[in-house]
Amino acid sequence: MVFEGLADKLQGALKKLKSKGKLTEKDVKEAMREVKLALLEADVNFKVVKDFINKVKERAVGAEVMESLTPGQHVIKIVNEELTALMGTTQSKLTFSSKPPTVYMLVGLQGAGKTTTGGKLGGYLKKMGKRPLLVAGDIYRPAAIKQLQVVGQQLDIPVFSMGDKVNPVNIAKAGIEHAKQHGNDVVIIDTAGRLHIDENLMDELENIKAEVNPQEILLVVDAMTGQDAVNVAESFNDKLGIDGVILTKLDGDTRGGAALSVRAVTKKPIKFAGMGEKLSDLEPFHPDRMASRILG
Ligand code: GDP
């Protein structure tokens, strides 16, 4: 299950409220203290936790709740609604360009799952009836091109590559030209990652962005890295301006911090969640379903 530890703790804290007939302000405060600790332990950004708790408290000690016949249920409903809001309220879908091909640029640190996610996204779009082309723009990581080709083969999706001696900006441009000539209506550009954010990387990504003017820049981040993932997202967003986030490895024993803070910190939506290593393990991100999964 996703966020097992967090779910257990939150459910534990809220269960006590459920069993009470009437609630006092003290009951709510105590429960919120436990909720706060659970969120901090799950590596949710401190400021996000503070705002979240204040919002819930403000609503939960209102007359409507305290005087209702099932105040505990009421508070749980509020927590559910605020968790959903934290993650973006509604599903944020991919947008398509009115003039094909639609170009998506995938960016992120090395190891985040960019190449795999490029394939997964291609497979997802193919299922939607699109004709995607994968473009191998990561010329620095040994084996990245080959990896994308293998992924493409598995999904029966074409992969455009010019080897590792051509500038990625030119590869991206040529890839889009190739798509136009071959009737591919979506182009997914895999870009280079680094172990850490550095200026060379950002310069290169900015150059690609300027040249190809992508419909969306999608940042791939590893949910297992918790607050680091949120910091990475903030940096990429500040420097490059991203359109959405794809959180990978939500199937692992992630604590949940990234999923719960990245939207609040960057104001950019989480569009998809990677739920495993298989190429079919990509799901559109639904904030309401995720909140319900966490609260059981
Ligand atoms: P890149 O360096 O960002 O291109 O990362 P890769 O695509 O090579 O992925 C790095 C590792 O993460 C690989 O072993 C992938 O199989 C794995 N991976 C990617 N996405 C997921 C996911 O959603 N869940 C799990 N469990 N593993 C993933």
Coordinates of all heavy atoms in Angstrom, one line a residue, residues 126-164:
K126 N 0.0 6.0 -26.5 CA -0.4 5.1 -27.6 C -1.7 4.4 -27.3 O -2.5 4.3 -28.3 CB 0.7 4.0 -27.7 CG 0.7 3.2 -29.0 CD 1.8 2.2 -29.1 CE 1.5 1.2 -30.2 NZ 2.3 0.0 -30.1
K127 N -1.9 4.0 -26.1 CA -3.2 3.4 -25.7 C -4.4 4.4 -26.0 O -5.5 4.0 -26.2 CB -3.2 3.1 -24.2 CG -2.8 1.6 -24.0 CD -3.3 1.1 -22.7 CE -2.7 -0.2 -22.3 NZ -2.1 -0.2 -21.0
M128 N -4.1 5.7 -25.9 CA -5.1 6.7 -26.1 C -5.4 6.9 -27.6 O -6.2 7.7 -28.0 CB -4.6 8.1 -25.6 CG -4.9 8.4 -24.2 SD -4.1 10.0 -23.7 CE -5.2 11.1 -24.5
G129 N -4.6 6.2 -28.4 CA -4.8 6.4 -29.9 C -3.8 7.3 -30.5 O -3.9 7.6 -31.7
K130 N -2.8 7.8 -29.8 CA -1.8 8.7 -30.3 C -0.7 7.9 -31.0 O -0.5 6.7 -30.8 CB -1.2 9.6 -29.2 CG -2.2 10.4 -28.5 CD -2.6 11.6 -29.3 CE -3.6 12.5 -28.6 NZ -4.3 13.4 -29.4
R131 N 0.1 8.6 -31.8 CA 1.3 7.9 -32.4 C 2.6 8.6 -31.9 O 3.1 9.5 -32.6 CB 1.1 8.1 -33.9 CG -0.2 7.4 -34.4 CD -0.1 7.3 -36.0 NE 1.1 6.6 -36.4 CZ 1.6 6.8 -37.6 NH1 1.1 7.6 -38.5 NH2 2.7 6.1 -37.9
P132 N 3.0 8.2 -30.8 CA 4.2 8.9 -30.2 C 5.5 8.5 -30.8 O 5.7 7.5 -31.4 CB 4.2 8.5 -28.7 CG 3.4 7.2 -28.7 CD 2.5 7.2 -29.9
L133 N 6.5 9.5 -30.7 CA 7.9 9.2 -31.1 C 8.7 9.6 -29.8 O 8.5 10.6 -29.2 CB 8.3 10.1 -32.2 CG 9.7 10.1 -32.6 CD1 10.1 8.8 -33.3 CD2 10.1 11.3 -33.5
L134 N 9.6 8.7 -29.5 CA 10.5 8.9 -28.4 C 11.8 9.5 -28.9 O 12.3 8.9 -29.9 CB 10.8 7.6 -27.6 CG 9.6 7.0 -26.8 CD1 10.0 5.6 -26.4 CD2 9.3 7.9 -25.6
V135 N 12.3 10.5 -28.4 CA 13.6 11.1 -28.9 C 14.7 11.0 -27.8 O 14.5 11.5 -26.7 CB 13.3 12.6 -29.2 CG1 14.7 13.3 -29.6 CG2 12.4 12.7 -30.4
A136 N 15.8 10.4 -28.2 CA 16.9 10.1 -27.2 C 17.8 11.3 -27.1 O 18.7 11.5 -27.9 CB 17.6 8.9 -27.7
G137 N 17.5 12.2 -26.2 CA 18.3 13.4 -26.0 C 19.3 13.4 -24.8 O 19.9 14.4 -24.5
D138 N 19.4 12.2 -24.2 CA 20.3 12.1 -23.1 C 21.6 11.5 -23.7 O 21.7 10.3 -23.8 CB 19.8 11.2 -21.9 CG 20.7 11.1 -20.8 OD1 21.9 11.6 -20.9 OD2 20.4 10.5 -19.8
I139 N 22.5 12.3 -24.0 CA 23.7 11.8 -24.7 C 24.9 11.6 -23.7 O 26.0 11.2 -24.1 CB 24.2 12.7 -25.8 CG1 24.6 14.1 -25.3 CG2 23.1 12.9 -26.9 CD1 25.3 15.0 -26.2
Y140 N 24.7 11.9 -22.5 CA 25.8 11.8 -21.5 C 25.8 10.5 -20.7 O 26.9 9.9 -20.5 CB 25.8 13.0 -20.5 CG 25.7 14.3 -21.3 CD1 24.5 15.0 -21.3 CD2 26.8 14.8 -21.9 CE1 24.5 16.2 -22.0 CE2 26.8 16.0 -22.6 CZ 25.6 16.7 -22.7 OH 25.6 17.9 -23.4
R141 N 24.6 10.1 -20.3 CA 24.6 8.8 -19.5 C 24.9 7.6 -20.4 O 24.2 7.4 -21.3 CB 23.3 8.7 -18.7 CG 23.2 7.4 -17.9 CD 22.1 7.5 -16.9 NE 20.8 7.4 -17.5 CZ 20.1 6.3 -17.7 NH1 20.6 5.1 -17.4 NH2 18.9 6.4 -18.2
P142 N 25.9 6.9 -20.1 CA 26.2 5.7 -20.9 C 25.0 4.9 -20.9 O 24.3 4.7 -19.9 CB 27.4 5.0 -20.2 CG 27.9 6.0 -19.2 CD 26.8 7.0 -18.9
A143 N 24.6 4.4 -22.0 CA 23.5 3.4 -22.1 C 22.1 4.0 -22.1 O 21.1 3.3 -22.3 CB 23.6 2.3 -21.0
A144 N 22.0 5.3 -21.9 CA 20.6 5.9 -21.9 C 19.9 5.7 -23.3 O 18.7 5.5 -23.3 CB 20.7 7.4 -21.5
I145 N 20.7 5.9 -24.3 CA 20.1 5.8 -25.7 C 19.6 4.4 -25.9 O 18.5 4.1 -26.3 CB 21.1 6.2 -26.8 CG1 21.5 7.7 -26.6 CG2 20.5 6.0 -28.2 CD1 22.6 8.2 -27.5
K146 N 20.5 3.4 -25.6 CA 20.2 2.0 -25.8 C 18.9 1.7 -24.9 O 18.0 1.0 -25.4 CB 21.4 1.2 -25.3 CG 21.2 -0.3 -25.5 CD 21.4 -0.7 -26.9 CE 20.8 -2.1 -27.1 NZ 20.1 -2.3 -28.4
Q147 N 18.9 2.2 -23.7 CA 17.8 1.9 -22.8 C 16.5 2.4 -23.4 O 15.5 1.7 -23.4 CB 18.1 2.6 -21.5 CG 17.1 2.2 -20.4 CD 17.3 3.1 -19.1 OE1 18.3 3.8 -19.0 NE2 16.3 3.1 -18.3
L148 N 16.5 3.6 -24.0 CA 15.3 4.1 -24.6 C 14.9 3.3 -25.8 O 13.7 3.0 -26.0 CB 15.5 5.6 -25.0 CG 14.2 6.3 -25.3 CD1 13.4 6.5 -24.0 CD2 14.5 7.7 -25.8
Q149 N 15.9 2.8 -26.5 CA 15.6 2.0 -27.7 C 14.9 0.6 -27.3 O 14.0 0.2 -27.9 CB 16.9 1.7 -28.5 CG 17.2 2.9 -29.4 CD 18.7 2.8 -29.9 OE1 19.5 2.1 -29.4 NE2 18.9 3.6 -30.9
V150 N 15.4 0.1 -26.2 CA 14.9 -1.2 -25.7 C 13.4 -1.0 -25.2 O 12.5 -1.7 -25.6 CB 15.7 -1.7 -24.5 CG1 15.0 -2.9 -23.8 CG2 17.1 -2.2 -25.0
V151 N 13.2 0.1 -24.5 CA 11.9 0.5 -24.1 C 10.9 0.7 -25.3 O 9.8 0.2 -25.3 CB 11.9 1.8 -23.2 CG1 10.6 2.4 -23.0 CG2 12.5 1.5 -21.8
G152 N 11.4 1.4 -26.3 CA 10.6 1.6 -27.5 C 10.2 0.3 -28.1 O 9.1 0.1 -28.6
Q153 N 11.2 -0.6 -28.2 CA 11.0 -1.9 -28.8 C 9.9 -2.7 -28.1 O 9.0 -3.2 -28.7 CB 12.2 -2.7 -28.8 CG 12.8 -3.1 -30.2 CD 14.2 -3.6 -30.0 OE1 14.6 -4.1 -29.0 NE2 15.0 -3.4 -31.1
Q154 N 10.0 -2.6 -26.8 CA 9.0 -3.4 -26.0 C 7.6 -2.9 -26.2 O 6.6 -3.6 -26.1 CB 9.3 -3.3 -24.5 CG 10.5 -4.1 -24.1 CD 11.0 -3.9 -22.6 OE1 10.4 -3.1 -21.9 NE2 12.1 -4.5 -22.3
L155 N 7.5 -1.6 -26.4 CA 6.2 -0.9 -26.6 C 5.8 -0.8 -28.0 O 4.7 -0.3 -28.3 CB 6.2 0.4 -25.9 CG 6.3 0.5 -24.4 CD1 6.8 1.8 -23.9 CD2 5.0 0.1 -23.7
D156 N 6.7 -1.1 -28.9 CA 6.5 -0.9 -30.3 C 6.2 0.6 -30.7 O 5.3 0.9 -31.3 CB 5.3 -1.8 -30.8 CG 5.3 -1.9 -32.4 OD1 6.4 -1.7 -33.0 OD2 4.2 -2.2 -32.9
I157 N 7.1 1.4 -30.1 CA 7.1 2.8 -30.3 C 8.4 3.2 -30.9 O 9.4 2.8 -30.4 CB 6.8 3.6 -29.0 CG1 5.4 3.3 -28.4 CG2 7.0 5.1 -29.1 CD1 5.2 3.9 -27.1
P158 N 8.4 4.0 -32.0 CA 9.7 4.4 -32.6 C 10.5 5.3 -31.7 O 10.0 6.1 -31.0 CB 9.2 5.1 -33.9 CG 7.8 5.5 -33.7 CD 7.2 4.6 -32.7
V159 N 11.8 5.1 -31.9 CA 12.8 5.9 -31.1 C 13.7 6.6 -32.1 O 14.3 6.0 -32.9 CB 13.6 5.0 -30.1 CG1 14.7 5.9 -29.4 CG2 12.7 4.4 -29.1
F160 N 13.8 7.9 -31.9 CA 14.7 8.7 -32.8 C 16.0 9.0 -32.0 O 15.9 9.5 -30.9 CB 14.0 10.0 -33.2 CG 14.9 10.9 -34.0 CD1 14.9 10.7 -35.4 CD2 15.6 11.9 -33.5 CE1 15.7 11.6 -36.2 CE2 16.4 12.7 -34.3 CZ 16.5 12.5 -35.6
S161 N 17.1 8.7 -32.7 CA 18.4 8.9 -32.0 C 19.4 9.4 -33.0 O 19.3 9.0 -34.2 CB 18.8 7.6 -31.3 OG 20.2 7.6 -31.3
M162 N 20.3 10.2 -32.6 CA 21.4 10.6 -33.5 C 22.8 10.3 -32.8 O 23.8 10.9 -33.1 CB 21.4 12.1 -33.8 CG 20.1 12.5 -34.6 SD 19.9 14.2 -34.8 CE 21.0 14.6 -36.1
G163 N 22.8 9.3 -31.9 CA 24.0 8.9 -31.2 C 24.3 9.9 -30.2 O 23.5 10.7 -29.8
D164 N 25.6 9.8 -29.7 CA 25.9 10.7 -28.6 C 26.9 11.8 -28.9 O 27.5 12.4 -28.0 CB 26.4 9.9 -27.4 CG 27.6 9.0 -27.7 OD1 28.1 9.2 -28.9 OD2 28.1 8.3 -26.9

